[in-house]
Amino acid sequence: MKKVIVIALSALVLCAGANAQEHRQDHKHPDHATMIQERTDHMAEKYGLDEAQKTKLLELNKEFSSKMGHGKMEHGKKGRGKMRRPELSESQKKEMEARKQAMDANRAAYEEGLKSILTEEQFLSYKKDLESREHRRR
């Protein structure tokens, strides 16, 4: 009787593992164009944009998608126990500061583009949501 139970449990564990592998392989990440379209659709629905605004927003999102932090970032190695922040050289610190300034400039330019597309009420709602997200991150 014990052998039957052990065999049944082993078969169950193998089936569950195979099923989990199958789901992992089926999961596909959306491509870049799909992500831009989904972001545009989400903003259009959330802020009540008309078709003309939605078209302009899609173009703005396409223009700034590569500029808004989609680059590769290098991460420090994780140590045992607590994760330590790696020490940066002066050149790395300067590079990080230059990236931050570029990102800030891109964000400001994106928001200027949004101001020209959205109504004042829609833009204020966008800014309020943005501040709320930033507050939650802290």
Side-chain angles (χ1 to χ4, degrees), residues 22-58:
E22 203 173 288
H23 285 290
R24 189 176 300 136
Q25 291 172 353
D26 289 343
H27 181 73
K28 294 180 182 175
H29 295 284
D31 66 346
H32 194 67
T34 303
M35 289 173 46
I36 294 169
Q37 184 65 52
E38 288 175 356
R39 177 183 169 96
T40 302
D41 291 343
H42 173 75
M43 288 180 72
E45 182 179 330
K46 186 168 188 166
Y47 302 115
L49 306 184
D50 61 28
E51 284 302 314
Q53 288 176 309
K54 187 175 175 181
T55 301
K56 290 177 184 176
L57 179 62
L58 179 60

Short mmCIF file of all heavy atoms in Angstrom, two decimals, residues 22-58:
data_model
loop_
_atom_site.label_atom_id
_atom_site.label_comp_id
_atom_site.label_asym_id
_atom_site.label_seq_id
_atom_site.Cartn_x
_atom_site.Cartn_y
_atom_site.Cartn_z
N GLU A 22 5.47 24.30 -18.56
CA GLU A 22 4.68 24.63 -19.73
C GLU A 22 4.17 26.07 -19.67
O GLU A 22 4.25 26.82 -20.64
CB GLU A 22 3.49 23.66 -19.81
CG GLU A 22 2.91 23.50 -21.17
CD GLU A 22 1.88 22.39 -21.17
OE1 GLU A 22 2.26 21.22 -21.07
OE2 GLU A 22 0.69 22.74 -21.24
N HIS A 23 3.69 26.48 -18.49
CA HIS A 23 3.19 27.85 -18.34
C HIS A 23 4.32 28.86 -18.48
O HIS A 23 4.14 29.92 -19.05
CB HIS A 23 2.51 28.03 -16.98
CG HIS A 23 1.17 27.39 -16.91
ND1 HIS A 23 0.09 27.88 -17.60
CD2 HIS A 23 0.72 26.29 -16.24
CE1 HIS A 23 -0.97 27.12 -17.36
NE2 HIS A 23 -0.60 26.15 -16.53
N ARG A 24 5.49 28.54 -17.97
CA ARG A 24 6.62 29.47 -18.04
C ARG A 24 7.03 29.68 -19.49
O ARG A 24 7.38 30.78 -19.89
CB ARG A 24 7.80 28.91 -17.23
CG ARG A 24 8.91 29.91 -17.07
CD ARG A 24 10.04 29.41 -16.19
NE ARG A 24 9.58 29.10 -14.86
CZ ARG A 24 9.92 28.01 -14.19
NH1 ARG A 24 10.71 27.11 -14.73
NH2 ARG A 24 9.49 27.79 -12.98
N GLN A 25 7.01 28.64 -20.30
CA GLN A 25 7.41 28.75 -21.70
C GLN A 25 6.36 29.50 -22.52
O GLN A 25 6.70 30.17 -23.49
CB GLN A 25 7.65 27.38 -22.31
CG GLN A 25 8.89 26.71 -21.74
CD GLN A 25 9.03 25.27 -22.20
OE1 GLN A 25 8.13 24.73 -22.84
NE2 GLN A 25 10.15 24.65 -21.87
N ASP A 26 5.10 29.41 -22.14
CA ASP A 26 4.03 30.07 -22.89
C ASP A 26 3.99 31.58 -22.62
O ASP A 26 3.44 32.33 -23.41
CB ASP A 26 2.67 29.47 -22.53
CG ASP A 26 2.50 28.08 -23.10
OD1 ASP A 26 3.29 27.72 -24.01
OD2 ASP A 26 1.61 27.35 -22.64
N HIS A 27 4.57 32.02 -21.50
CA HIS A 27 4.52 33.44 -21.13
C HIS A 27 5.43 34.23 -22.06
O HIS A 27 6.61 34.00 -22.13
CB HIS A 27 4.94 33.63 -19.68
CG HIS A 27 4.90 35.05 -19.24
ND1 HIS A 27 3.71 35.70 -19.02
CD2 HIS A 27 5.87 35.94 -19.01
CE1 HIS A 27 3.98 36.95 -18.67
NE2 HIS A 27 5.28 37.12 -18.64
N LYS A 28 4.84 35.18 -22.77
CA LYS A 28 5.61 36.01 -23.70
C LYS A 28 5.49 37.46 -23.27
O LYS A 28 4.42 37.92 -22.90
CB LYS A 28 5.09 35.85 -25.12
CG LYS A 28 5.30 34.47 -25.68
CD LYS A 28 4.76 34.36 -27.08
CE LYS A 28 4.95 32.96 -27.59
NZ LYS A 28 4.34 32.76 -28.90
N HIS A 29 6.60 38.16 -23.34
CA HIS A 29 6.59 39.58 -23.04
C HIS A 29 6.14 40.34 -24.28
O HIS A 29 6.53 40.01 -25.39
CB HIS A 29 7.98 40.05 -22.61
CG HIS A 29 8.43 39.44 -21.32
ND1 HIS A 29 7.95 39.85 -20.11
CD2 HIS A 29 9.31 38.45 -21.06
CE1 HIS A 29 8.51 39.14 -19.16
NE2 HIS A 29 9.34 38.28 -19.70
N PRO A 30 5.34 41.38 -24.08
CA PRO A 30 4.90 42.15 -25.25
C PRO A 30 6.08 42.87 -25.89
O PRO A 30 7.04 43.24 -25.20
CB PRO A 30 3.90 43.14 -24.67
CG PRO A 30 4.18 43.19 -23.21
CD PRO A 30 4.78 41.88 -22.85
N ASP A 31 6.01 43.08 -27.18
CA ASP A 31 7.08 43.80 -27.85
C ASP A 31 6.96 45.29 -27.55
O ASP A 31 5.99 45.76 -26.96
CB ASP A 31 7.08 43.51 -29.36
CG ASP A 31 5.84 44.05 -30.06
OD1 ASP A 31 4.87 44.39 -29.38
OD2 ASP A 31 5.87 44.11 -31.30
N HIS A 32 7.96 46.03 -27.96
CA HIS A 32 8.06 47.45 -27.66
C HIS A 32 6.86 48.24 -28.19
O HIS A 32 6.28 49.06 -27.48
CB HIS A 32 9.37 48.00 -28.24
CG HIS A 32 9.77 49.33 -27.73
ND1 HIS A 32 10.14 49.54 -26.43
CD2 HIS A 32 9.83 50.53 -28.35
CE1 HIS A 32 10.43 50.82 -26.27
NE2 HIS A 32 10.24 51.44 -27.41
N ALA A 33 6.46 47.98 -29.42
CA ALA A 33 5.33 48.70 -30.03
C ALA A 33 4.03 48.41 -29.28
O ALA A 33 3.21 49.33 -29.08
CB ALA A 33 5.19 48.31 -31.50
N THR A 34 3.85 47.19 -28.83
CA THR A 34 2.65 46.82 -28.08
C THR A 34 2.62 47.55 -26.74
O THR A 34 1.57 48.03 -26.31
CB THR A 34 2.59 45.30 -27.86
OG1 THR A 34 2.65 44.65 -29.13
CG2 THR A 34 1.33 44.90 -27.12
N MET A 35 3.77 47.64 -26.09
CA MET A 35 3.84 48.33 -24.81
C MET A 35 3.50 49.82 -24.97
O MET A 35 2.79 50.39 -24.13
CB MET A 35 5.23 48.16 -24.19
CG MET A 35 5.47 46.74 -23.69
SD MET A 35 7.15 46.39 -23.13
CE MET A 35 7.55 47.76 -22.10
N ILE A 36 3.99 50.43 -26.03
CA ILE A 36 3.70 51.84 -26.29
C ILE A 36 2.20 52.02 -26.53
O ILE A 36 1.58 52.95 -26.00
CB ILE A 36 4.51 52.36 -27.50
CG1 ILE A 36 6.00 52.37 -27.17
CG2 ILE A 36 4.04 53.75 -27.91
CD1 ILE A 36 6.88 52.61 -28.37
N GLN A 37 1.61 51.13 -27.32
CA GLN A 37 0.18 51.21 -27.61
C GLN A 37 -0.64 51.02 -26.34
O GLN A 37 -1.61 51.74 -26.10
CB GLN A 37 -0.22 50.16 -28.66
CG GLN A 37 -1.67 50.24 -29.09
CD GLN A 37 -1.99 51.54 -29.81
OE1 GLN A 37 -1.31 51.91 -30.76
NE2 GLN A 37 -3.01 52.24 -29.37
N GLU A 38 -0.25 50.06 -25.49
CA GLU A 38 -0.98 49.82 -24.25
C GLU A 38 -0.89 51.02 -23.31
O GLU A 38 -1.86 51.39 -22.66
CB GLU A 38 -0.46 48.56 -23.56
CG GLU A 38 -0.86 47.29 -24.27
CD GLU A 38 -0.24 46.04 -23.66
OE1 GLU A 38 0.59 46.15 -22.73
OE2 GLU A 38 -0.58 44.94 -24.13
N ARG A 39 0.30 51.64 -23.25
CA ARG A 39 0.46 52.84 -22.41
C ARG A 39 -0.45 53.96 -22.93
O ARG A 39 -1.12 54.64 -22.15
CB ARG A 39 1.91 53.30 -22.41
CG ARG A 39 2.14 54.58 -21.63
CD ARG A 39 3.59 55.03 -21.72
NE ARG A 39 3.74 56.36 -21.21
CZ ARG A 39 4.12 56.67 -19.98
NH1 ARG A 39 4.37 55.70 -19.12
NH2 ARG A 39 4.24 57.92 -19.59
N THR A 40 -0.47 54.14 -24.23
CA THR A 40 -1.31 55.17 -24.83
C THR A 40 -2.79 54.90 -24.56
O THR A 40 -3.53 55.80 -24.17
CB THR A 40 -1.04 55.26 -26.35
OG1 THR A 40 0.35 55.52 -26.56
CG2 THR A 40 -1.88 56.33 -27.00
N ASP A 41 -3.21 53.66 -24.77
CA ASP A 41 -4.61 53.29 -24.53
C ASP A 41 -5.00 53.52 -23.07
O ASP A 41 -6.08 54.01 -22.77
CB ASP A 41 -4.86 51.83 -24.92
CG ASP A 41 -4.76 51.59 -26.41
OD1 ASP A 41 -4.84 52.57 -27.18
OD2 ASP A 41 -4.60 50.41 -26.81
N HIS A 42 -4.08 53.15 -22.16
CA HIS A 42 -4.35 53.32 -20.73
C HIS A 42 -4.53 54.79 -20.39
O HIS A 42 -5.49 55.18 -19.69
CB HIS A 42 -3.21 52.72 -19.92
CG HIS A 42 -3.31 52.98 -18.45
ND1 HIS A 42 -4.20 52.31 -17.64
CD2 HIS A 42 -2.66 53.85 -17.65
CE1 HIS A 42 -4.09 52.77 -16.40
NE2 HIS A 42 -3.16 53.71 -16.39
N MET A 43 -3.62 55.63 -20.89
CA MET A 43 -3.72 57.07 -20.61
C MET A 43 -4.97 57.66 -21.25
O MET A 43 -5.64 58.51 -20.66
CB MET A 43 -2.47 57.79 -21.09
CG MET A 43 -1.25 57.52 -20.23
SD MET A 43 0.23 58.37 -20.81
CE MET A 43 -0.15 60.07 -20.37
N ALA A 44 -5.30 57.22 -22.46
CA ALA A 44 -6.48 57.74 -23.15
C ALA A 44 -7.75 57.42 -22.37
O ALA A 44 -8.64 58.27 -22.23
CB ALA A 44 -6.57 57.16 -24.56
N GLU A 45 -7.82 56.21 -21.84
CA GLU A 45 -8.99 55.81 -21.06
C GLU A 45 -9.03 56.54 -19.72
O GLU A 45 -10.07 57.05 -19.31
CB GLU A 45 -8.96 54.30 -20.83
CG GLU A 45 -10.17 53.78 -20.07
CD GLU A 45 -10.13 52.28 -19.88
OE1 GLU A 45 -9.56 51.58 -20.73
OE2 GLU A 45 -10.68 51.83 -18.86
N LYS A 46 -7.88 56.61 -19.05
CA LYS A 46 -7.83 57.20 -17.72
C LYS A 46 -8.15 58.70 -17.73
O LYS A 46 -8.83 59.20 -16.83
CB LYS A 46 -6.45 56.99 -17.12
CG LYS A 46 -6.33 57.43 -15.69
CD LYS A 46 -5.05 56.93 -15.06
CE LYS A 46 -5.09 57.23 -13.58
NZ LYS A 46 -4.09 56.53 -12.84
N TYR A 47 -7.67 59.42 -18.76
CA TYR A 47 -7.85 60.87 -18.79
C TYR A 47 -8.91 61.32 -19.78
O TYR A 47 -9.09 62.51 -19.99
CB TYR A 47 -6.51 61.55 -19.08
CG TYR A 47 -5.46 61.18 -18.06
CD1 TYR A 47 -4.34 60.46 -18.42
CD2 TYR A 47 -5.61 61.51 -16.71
CE1 TYR A 47 -3.39 60.10 -17.48
CE2 TYR A 47 -4.68 61.15 -15.76
CZ TYR A 47 -3.56 60.44 -16.14
OH TYR A 47 -2.64 60.07 -15.21
N GLY A 48 -9.63 60.37 -20.38
CA GLY A 48 -10.75 60.69 -21.26
C GLY A 48 -10.35 61.43 -22.52
O GLY A 48 -10.97 62.44 -22.87
N LEU A 49 -9.32 60.94 -23.21
CA LEU A 49 -8.84 61.61 -24.42
C LEU A 49 -9.73 61.29 -25.61
O LEU A 49 -10.26 60.18 -25.73
CB LEU A 49 -7.41 61.19 -24.73
CG LEU A 49 -6.36 61.34 -23.63
CD1 LEU A 49 -4.99 60.97 -24.16
CD2 LEU A 49 -6.35 62.73 -23.06
N ASP A 50 -9.87 62.25 -26.52
CA ASP A 50 -10.59 61.99 -27.77
C ASP A 50 -9.60 61.36 -28.77
O ASP A 50 -8.42 61.20 -28.48
CB ASP A 50 -11.25 63.25 -28.31
CG ASP A 50 -10.25 64.36 -28.64
OD1 ASP A 50 -9.08 64.06 -28.96
OD2 ASP A 50 -10.64 65.54 -28.58
N GLU A 51 -10.09 61.00 -29.93
CA GLU A 51 -9.26 60.30 -30.92
C GLU A 51 -8.07 61.14 -31.40
O GLU A 51 -6.98 60.63 -31.60
CB GLU A 51 -10.10 59.83 -32.11
CG GLU A 51 -10.95 58.61 -31.82
CD GLU A 51 -10.14 57.41 -31.35
OE1 GLU A 51 -9.11 57.08 -31.96
OE2 GLU A 51 -10.56 56.79 -30.35
N ALA A 52 -8.29 62.44 -31.59
CA ALA A 52 -7.20 63.30 -32.04
C ALA A 52 -6.10 63.37 -30.98
O ALA A 52 -4.90 63.28 -31.30
CB ALA A 52 -7.72 64.70 -32.35
N GLN A 53 -6.50 63.51 -29.71
CA GLN A 53 -5.52 63.54 -28.62
C GLN A 53 -4.79 62.21 -28.52
O GLN A 53 -3.58 62.16 -28.31
CB GLN A 53 -6.21 63.83 -27.29
CG GLN A 53 -6.70 65.25 -27.12
CD GLN A 53 -7.46 65.41 -25.82
OE1 GLN A 53 -8.38 64.64 -25.54
NE2 GLN A 53 -7.08 66.41 -25.03
N LYS A 54 -5.54 61.12 -28.68
CA LYS A 54 -4.95 59.78 -28.58
C LYS A 54 -3.90 59.58 -29.67
O LYS A 54 -2.83 59.03 -29.41
CB LYS A 54 -6.06 58.73 -28.68
CG LYS A 54 -5.59 57.33 -28.43
CD LYS A 54 -6.76 56.35 -28.43
CE LYS A 54 -6.28 54.93 -28.29
NZ LYS A 54 -7.38 53.97 -28.31
N THR A 55 -4.18 60.03 -30.88
CA THR A 55 -3.24 59.91 -31.99
C THR A 55 -1.96 60.70 -31.70
O THR A 55 -0.85 60.21 -31.89
CB THR A 55 -3.88 60.39 -33.30
OG1 THR A 55 -5.05 59.62 -33.55
CG2 THR A 55 -2.93 60.25 -34.47
N LYS A 56 -2.13 61.93 -31.20
CA LYS A 56 -0.96 62.75 -30.88
C LYS A 56 -0.16 62.15 -29.72
O LYS A 56 1.07 62.18 -29.73
CB LYS A 56 -1.40 64.17 -30.52
CG LYS A 56 -1.93 64.97 -31.69
CD LYS A 56 -2.42 66.33 -31.23
CE LYS A 56 -3.05 67.10 -32.37
NZ LYS A 56 -3.60 68.39 -31.91
N LEU A 57 -0.87 61.59 -28.73
CA LEU A 57 -0.20 60.97 -27.59
C LEU A 57 0.60 59.75 -28.03
O LEU A 57 1.72 59.52 -27.56
CB LEU A 57 -1.22 60.58 -26.52
CG LEU A 57 -0.65 59.90 -25.28
CD1 LEU A 57 0.33 60.81 -24.55
CD2 LEU A 57 -1.77 59.46 -24.35
N LEU A 58 0.03 58.96 -28.94
CA LEU A 58 0.75 57.78 -29.45
C LEU A 58 2.05 58.21 -30.11
O LEU A 58 3.11 57.61 -29.88
CB LEU A 58 -0.12 57.00 -30.42
CG LEU A 58 0.51 55.76 -31.05
CD1 LEU A 58 0.91 54.74 -29.99
CD2 LEU A 58 -0.45 55.13 -32.05
#
